[in-house]
Every structure is written in C-alpha cells, then in structure tokens.
Amino acid sequence: MDLSVLYDLSYGLYVIGAFKDGRPVGCTVNTCFQVTSQNPVLTVSLNKNNFTLEAIKENKRFSVSILSEESDPAIIGRFGLYSSRDTDKYEGFGFSVLDYVPCVNGSFSGRLILEAENYVDCGTHVLVIARLIDTVKGSGTPMTYSYYHNVIKGTAPKNAPTYRAEQ
C-alpha cells in the first residue's frame, strides 16, 4: 500500500486553546472539520499524549483559531513543537479570553468556541466531538497544510497524525 497518497489529503492549521489549572494551554493541530450544519458540531483530532487534551477533558470548552497565511509562523512552532506541561506557549504572543477560553493573539481567519460532548479513541489520537458555541470572524486566507509545507517549509511534529520521518 502506498501511504504517500495520504499526503494529498487537504488540511488546515489551527491553534487550540483551553484552560488547565487556571492557566492557558494550547497546541497546533491540522485536523478540524465540520460534521453538521444545523446546531453545528465539529471534530478536532488530538494526540493522546497532548496536555491540551487533558484540559479539554476537564473543562469541556475550548477555542479553535484558524491560522491564516498572514499569521505569524512562530505561533505554529511554539504551539506545535513544545508541551504546555512545561512551556508557557502564550508568552510573547499574549491572549484574549473569549467565552471563558484563551485565544492566542495574532492574525487569524476566524475563531471558533466549542464545547466537547464526546470523545472517540482512535489509538494514538482522540477525536473530540464538540458543539459550536460562538464564532469570531477574522481576515485573511486560511492557511492550508500544503501552504505550511511548501511556502513556510514547516514539518509535522511526531505527535501529528500526518508525521512522517524525513527521507
């Protein structure tokens, strides 16, 4: 089976934000999709080892900031390559609180506020199924994973569902 075909699937890039023990935590993900249109439900995929997943399971409510091509690429690295267990990922960027969840400051195509309703174990990752609570319109062209790889020259960290060892 040629798994390289999977590299042609289209993805976006998103920063997830939540509170854990009163402090903001977060991570970069490439999997967020809308499941329903009426009373919208969305799904995000998080690695089981992700500290942000622990925060979502405790508090239920979280944010999804949709990265744009105009977003600071440093946000992707900070939120994607470090753990909130031992790093203040918001340092240097700051955050605002929307509907009781942190949203990293910066240029984004939009923001979603979600409340987790269910979790699906997929082995290494968990799908968080969540109800849409609110939205904030942003600006700019949403960043695709292809743009991230081809223009920014970024790579996927080991916890990403799309990780592949460099050849």
Side-chain angles (χ1 to χ4, degrees):
M1 178 170 18
D2 183 358
L3 294 179
S4 69
V5 174
L6 294 174
Y7 305 146
D8 291 331
L9 286 172
S10 180
Y11 297 92
L13 275 172
Y14 315 92
V15 174
I16 307 298
F19 280 114
K20 173 93 168 113
D21 301 325
R23 69 180 181 91
V25 300
C27 64
T28 303
V29 301
N30 68 350
T31 308
C32 175
F33 59 93
Q34 184 176 340
V35 179
T36 67
S37 60
Q38 297 292 323
N39 196 10
V41 170
L42 289 90
T43 298
V44 298
S45 175
L46 292 150
N47 187 284
K48 281 184 176 179
N49 297 324
N50 197 300
F51 194 65
T52 305
L53 178 59
E54 289 181 30
I56 292 170
K57 285 183 173 181
E58 281 183 18
N59 298 306
K60 305 280 187 250
R61 194 167 281 206
F62 62 100
S63 65
V64 174
S65 296
I66 305 165
L67 284 152
S68 73
E69 292 178 0
E70 296 76 26
S71 295
D72 182 349
I75 290 174
I76 300 166
R78 172 69 69 84
F79 281 80
L81 300 175
Y82 299 92
S83 173
S84 289
R85 281 184 178 85
D86 52 28
T87 302
D88 177 359
K89 294 184 179 183
Y90 294 84
E91 183 180 351
F93 301 109
F95 66 94
S96 55
V97 176
L98 301 173
D99 283 311
Y100 310 104
V101 292
C103 294
V104 64
N105 292 337
S107 177
F108 293 91
S109 293
R111 305 203 193 247
L112 310 170
I113 308 301
L114 300 163
E115 189 154 322
E117 293 186 343
N118 204 352
Y119 305 90
V120 178
D121 187 326
C122 295
T124 59
H125 288 69
V126 171
L127 296 180
V128 179
I129 300 168
R131 182 87 44 204
L132 184 66
I133 303 297
D134 201 0
T135 64
V136 177
K137 185 90 171 127
S139 64
T141 303
M143 185 183 298
T144 64
Y145 213 42
S146 177
Y147 181 93
Y148 169 69
H149 285 298
N150 297 322
V151 176
I152 296 178
K153 304 294 184 197
T155 60
K158 282 195 172 202
N159 280 351
T162 54
Y163 172 75
R164 60 179 163 161
E166 294 304 314
Q167 300 175 13

